Structure formats: C-alpha cells, structure tokens
Amino acid sequence: QVQLVESGGGLVQPGGSLRLSCAVSGRTFSSYTMGWFRQAPGQQREFVARMGWSGGRLYYAGSVKGRFTISRDNAENTMYLQMNSLKPEDTAVYYCAAAPRIVTTVREYDYDYWGQGTQVTVSS
C-alpha cells in the first residue's frame, strides 16, 4: 500500500511559480511510475507529467512542457512538480498518483494510488 499527500498549492499571479510536493509513504520500487494530474472546474482530470520512481522515463503534456519540471528526492521520499510561467489556464486541483508498474500512457486509470489533491489558482 502506498500513501500520497500533496502540498504546496496556493494563489499565484500569472507568470509566477509554485512548487508542489507529494510525500510518498509505503513501499515503492524503481519499477513504479509516478504522475501528476490536474482537474479544472467542470473538466475531466488530465495528465500533466510522469516519471519512473528511479528518476527516468520523464514525459510531459504538451501544454506544460518547458514550463513544468517533475523530479523526486529519494532521501525524502518526495516527488515534486516545479511550475514556472504559470497561466490562468493552469488553475486546477493537482493530484499526484502512483502505479506499481511501468506506465507509458496518459490515462488516469493506469494509476492505483492517489493523493487528496492541492488547489492551484493562477489569477491577478
């Protein structure tokens, strides 16, 4: 069993930055895939980024590529999402997710474990 807890959301002006954290507890292995998703009001949850727990297999949604960076700190058992050049359309609840397998899709149902989400609001 894996538990995920996100933090770091908040209100930021357009062009600003935020760093989201996902604290991971429970047993994880290098074969795990970790992901970030987001859900805006009235919209379906969408893929943002993913990585292998060992640090490889990075992949980003086109809408965030070049602005967001996914990373992890093994010593702290924490995954991060650094978000720069934020836009109003990035406003959403952001979720971290984990899958006990290699995932090469952007489908949310390929992930078994989810955090509770953290709100990110980009507004002037």
Side-chain angles (χ1 to χ4, degrees):
Q1 191 75 8
V2 173
Q3 294 80 42
L4 308 173
V5 179
E6 303 97 333
S7 61
L11 173 64
V12 63
Q13 292 187 340
S17 298
L18 276 177
R19 188 177 78 160
L20 305 183
S21 300
C22 176
V24 182
S25 59
R27 297 195 68 182
T28 57
F29 301 94
S30 60
S31 60
Y32 269 57
T33 301
M34 307 298 296
W36 286 98
F37 288 77
R38 66 186 181 186
Q39 186 169 22
Q43 298 188 21
Q44 291 188 331
R45 191 152 54 184
E46 66 173 2
F47 170 82
V48 175
R50 68 166 185 262
M51 66 182 297
W53 185 238
S54 60
R57 297 187 277 119
L58 300 175
Y59 185 74
Y60 296 90
S63 58
V64 307
K65 193 172 185 179
R67 300 187 298 123
F68 291 11
T69 302
I70 188 172
S71 64
R72 91 276 183 259
D73 183 330
N74 280 350
E76 296 292 331
N77 238 27
T78 301
M79 179 175 67
Y80 301 100
L81 185 69
Q82 177 67 44
M83 306 185 295
N84 299 327
S85 303
L86 283 161
K87 306 174 182 180
E89 51 263 43
D90 294 318
T91 295
V93 177
Y94 283 70
Y95 299 90
C96 64
R101 66 186 70 83
I102 295 175
V103 174
T104 59
T105 72
V106 299
R107 302 178 304 198
E108 62 175 298
Y109 55 81
D110 283 332
Y111 292 81
D112 298 62
Y113 307 104
W114 292 84
Q116 82 289 349
T118 185
Q119 176 71 48
V120 171
T121 303
V122 185
S123 175
S124 54

